[in-house]
Amino acid sequence: MRPRTLLLFALAALVGAAVAVLPALAAAPSEAKLEVNENCVELNWPCWATPGSGVPASKVTIAPGGEVKFADNATTAVTVSWTGSAPMCSGIPASAMTKWEGTCKFEQEGTYRFESSTLFNDGITNYTKYEIVVESASTGTTTTTTTTTPTTTTPTTTTTTPTATTSTQPSGGGSPTGAAASTATTPGSMEMPPPPARTHPLATLALANAQHGAAVHGTVQIPVADGGARLEVELLVQSASLAKVKRPRSSRVGRLVRSSAPAGKVSFTVSLDAQAKRALRRHHKLALTVKIVLTPNHGAALTLTRSLALRS
């Protein structure tokens, strides 16, 4: 090999070497503040939020040795109840009250969970759960070296082997499922292509997430292929919203069944039962889960669920 060619290869190897160093990750803050906001997501639904925020601060991250300051300067009585490992706190009241400030210090890494049952009761998951995640910043460098070396190209022989084709098509009820189509090839026979996938639109639900009155209104768009399907609409609410004693299960407070629903847009109205109406008058709001089951004449049933807030 000529000297000039050797020099070009050496220069290419030097230029091809690259080193990349990743920057250190940003450190978590050493202090956070949570305050009671009276209007989280909706009016008159209080929650723990960061100052100036209108959404629940369900997860807060700080560094080990950091502090979280709590403040309730609102009109809703509240306290902080830890549901596992608890930090060292001062100023946190033993029972729910207003106009207080407290501080908790987190020395060890981990996840600390707390609840405030008087805040943001949505009627389905009882109330918002909060987490304080204590973690250190991760630092480090990663070195990547790339070297360019000369390669020799040699002729190769490529053999093409037929492979099976996998296609995905919806099942009869409109729920997409995977189906693998394969064909067997015998000597002297022709390989047949898989059948084309059948498209089948799904039913869609139109439902306002905030409604007024003692009934829920909505519409379901039923595909032509599912015309004549059985339509069932249920209104579900957590039992704790209906009684003073909290139970970890939901209750049905309204139901509508149509044995044969036509294709196209179908409107529905489901009224609350007597117990749910009393709870609505008492609390002036009720969080519901609307469950819709569409069972076509052929194929699997399709279930749609939505959450909404019903106000008196």
Side-chain angles (χ1 to χ4, degrees), residues 182-308:
S182 60
T183 57
T185 303
T186 58
S189 64
M190 180 179 296
E191 182 179 0
M192 299 300 294
R198 181 172 67 92
T199 58
H200 189 154
L202 299 178
T204 56
L205 171 63
L207 188 71
N209 58 9
Q211 300 189 24
H212 293 268
V216 172
H217 309 272
T219 61
V220 179
Q221 185 71 33
I222 300 179
V224 175
D226 292 333
R230 180 180 185 273
L231 176 65
E232 180 178 3
V233 184
E234 289 185 314
L235 305 182
L236 305 175
V237 65
Q238 188 173 357
S239 300
S241 298
L242 303 177
K244 295 181 179 179
V245 179
K246 296 178 180 179
R247 304 182 183 92
R249 63 184 182 87
S250 61
S251 299
R252 187 172 68 191
V253 295
R255 184 170 182 256
L256 171 68
V257 176
R258 295 188 62 175
S259 58
S260 180
K265 183 180 291 187
V266 177
S267 301
F268 63 85
T269 298
V270 186
S271 299
L272 297 176
D273 62 17
Q275 187 180 16
K277 289 178 181 178
R278 289 194 296 270
L280 180 62
R281 288 194 298 268
R282 183 170 61 250
H283 300 296
H284 305 294
K285 62 177 180 289
L286 197 63
L288 300 173
T289 294
V290 180
K291 179 181 177 181
I292 294 182
V293 180
L294 186 68
T295 306
N297 296 326
H298 303 284
L302 174 66
T303 301
L304 303 173
T305 58
R306 294 289 189 277
S307 298
L308 65 84

Side-chain angles (χ1 to χ4, degrees), residues 72-137:
D72 181 10
N73 296 313
T75 59
T76 301
V78 67
T79 188
V80 172
S81 300
W82 300 97
T83 59
S85 300
M88 295 295 295
C89 299
S90 62
I92 306 295
S95 58
M97 59 179 294
T98 60
K99 308 302 180 184
W100 60 267
E101 293 186 2
T103 302
C104 294
K105 188 167 185 177
F106 300 82
E107 298 288 356
Q108 302 295 327
E109 292 189 4
T111 300
Y112 299 77
R113 296 178 174 87
F114 73 91
E115 302 174 353
S116 294
S117 59
T118 56
L119 300 185
F120 203 78
N121 190 328
D122 63 6
I124 303 299
T125 57
N126 195 9
Y127 41 80
T128 303
K129 311 299 192 297
Y130 300 87
E131 290 185 352
I132 307 296
V133 179
V134 184
E135 61 183 13
S136 302

Side-chain angles (χ1 to χ4, degrees), residues 34 47-50 53 55-60 114 128-131:
L34 299 178
C47 73
W48 285 112
T50 56
S53 171
V55 296
S58 56
K59 182 177 180 180
V60 176
F114 73 91
T128 303
K129 311 299 192 297
Y130 300 87
E131 290 185 352

